Amino acid sequence: MGTPVDPVPALIRQALADASDAPGYPLTAGTPALRDAIAAWVARACGAGVDGLGVLPTIGSKELVAWLPTLLGIGPGDVVVVPSIAYPTYEDGARLAGATTVRTDSLTALGPDPRVRLVWVNSPGNPTGRVLPAGHLRKVVDWARERGAVVASDECYLPLGWDAQPVSVLSPEVCGGSYEGVLAVHSLSKRSNLAGYRAGFVAGDPALVAELLKIRKHAGMIVPAPVQAAMVAALGDQAHADAQRERYRARREKLRAAFTAAGFTVEHSEAGLYLWLTRDEECWDTVDWLARRGILVAAGVFYGPAGARHVRVALTESDEHVDAVAGRLAEV
Ligand SMILES: Cc1ncc(COP(=O)(O)O)c(C=O)c1O
């Protein structure tokens, strides 16, 4: 279904333990070591220059996704654009702020007038695994800048490109070397198996990040000090992330072959942590068919009406379970 199952790497657990004597309040902005580690990782993984880049740790990325519209002062009468098939928290966050959500992948469909304040993009996407090309992201950024809207790019699956190479909103070919109006949202939950630690961060427009910091400081949205230390260790080590990526690659290949052989069509899924599958029937019929074989998947309709004929299969299962799924599908 999507929760990481592999162990937390030893060097990260050690860093957490070593920082456990933490009687004082932690820094909302992040320790200098963490801020440097985030900036260095963003430079490496997103191809971003660190000059003028705002960075801020978050308590996992879900809380930021849910509260971003509110933290940006978005409210009733404002519009938040989310992908047509999307992680549900984008819409939940707009609702918390009292704003209106529009689901679309094409900004030209919006017409001339709505008060769009925030546009969410998510590449590689959950649940579809779709990768948006740099040219598409660039058009979104240009469109939003012309209207004074913010582009929030949820990039929590960026390190998991398989058949396509995902591009960050912070890369010069997308943002043109300026971070004005753009925020990239990242998470260590999947890269480093840290979903239980709640470790994420946001990087981008320094003025927007400063505004978020001001409010989050007063609202107590602070990453615990031991988790900040664990994040420094995680961001500074690529070996564990490469090893985890290889686990997901092997599981993806097995699952993709098994579902294809059982008559499923795999759509998109060129990157990220999911296979987006259809048997060209209502998703609940597929969920039911698989459940009868002891295989649990997410119904596509959870992610929007356009997902009503698909299901989402996560790569976050043990090798033993993945083998069991392949075995059960082979009996069909
Ligand atoms: C697209 C997307 N964004 C954000 C999150 C939140 O991740 P976390 O809060 O663990 O950082 C998830 C979790 O599955 C996700 O799929």
Side-chain angles (χ1 to χ4, degrees), residues 48-323:
V50 293
D51 285 347
L53 180 72
V55 298
L56 185 63
T58 60
I59 313 159
S61 61
K62 188 179 176 98
E63 61 92 352
L64 183 81
V65 172
W67 290 107
L68 186 65
T70 303
L71 296 174
L72 292 175
I74 291 170
D78 294 331
V79 170
V80 174
V81 177
V82 310
S84 61
I85 302 177
Y87 178 58
T89 313
Y90 307 132
E91 187 169 17
D92 297 340
R95 200 177 302 132
L96 278 171
T100 304
T101 305
V102 174
R103 286 180 177 272
T104 182
D105 300 318
S106 156
L107 294 171
T108 49
L110 280 170
D113 231 14
R115 253 175 50 196
V116 175
R117 298 276 315 278
L118 176 64
V119 180
W120 277 107
V121 288
N122 175 215
S123 170
N126 173 12
T128 62
R130 183 174 168 207
V131 170
L132 300 175
H136 178 111
L137 291 169
R138 174 89 217 203
K139 278 189 195 143
V140 173
V141 169
D142 289 346
W143 186 95
R145 280 181 178 158
E146 274 168 30
R147 289 159 182 81
V150 172
V151 176
S153 176
D154 181 345
E155 304 182 351
C156 67
Y157 301 110
L158 194 82
L160 298 175
W162 312 115
D163 304 326
Q165 194 49 48
V167 186
S168 169
V169 76
L170 302 178
S171 91
E173 54 180 327
V174 175
C175 69
S178 154
Y179 301 124
E180 184 204 331
V182 301
L183 294 172
V185 176
H186 283 271
S187 169
L188 294 180
S189 293
K190 312 293 165 47
R191 174 188 180 271
S192 301
N193 297 333
L194 288 189
Y197 283 39
R198 311 312 301 131
F201 56 89
V202 58
D205 187 327
L208 290 174
V209 170
E211 193 61 27
L212 297 178
L213 170 62
K214 195 163 70 187
I215 303 167
R216 291 172 64 85
K217 207 185 258 182
H218 293 289
M221 296 166 144
I222 314 173
V223 177
V227 175
Q228 293 198 27
M231 288 175 74
V232 174
L235 289 165
D237 181 69
Q238 189 55 34
H240 78 272
D242 290 343
Q244 186 58 41
R245 194 184 134 85
E246 281 314 304
R247 285 186 198 112
Y248 286 137
R249 179 199 296 282
R251 290 171 190 162
R252 176 177 181 269
E253 277 166 18
K254 264 190 204 158
L255 288 170
R256 190 162 68 158
F259 276 101
T260 305
F264 286 75
T265 303
V266 181
E267 287 180 8
H268 298 303
S269 311
E270 56 261 21
L273 204 57
Y274 308 101
L275 294 176
W276 185 236
L277 304 174
T278 181
R279 298 209 312 166
D280 205 17
E281 63 186 8
E282 284 300 306
C283 61
W284 291 113
D285 293 336
T286 312
V287 168
D288 185 55
W289 188 90
L290 287 166
R292 287 176 195 284
R293 286 154 182 85
I295 301 169
L296 183 62
V297 299
V301 76
F302 287 166
Y303 308 95
R309 297 178 79 78
H310 289 74
V311 296
R312 190 196 78 171
V313 170
L315 308 180
T316 50
E317 276 299 341
S318 65
D319 295 335
E320 190 191 350
H321 282 177
V322 167
D323 287 341

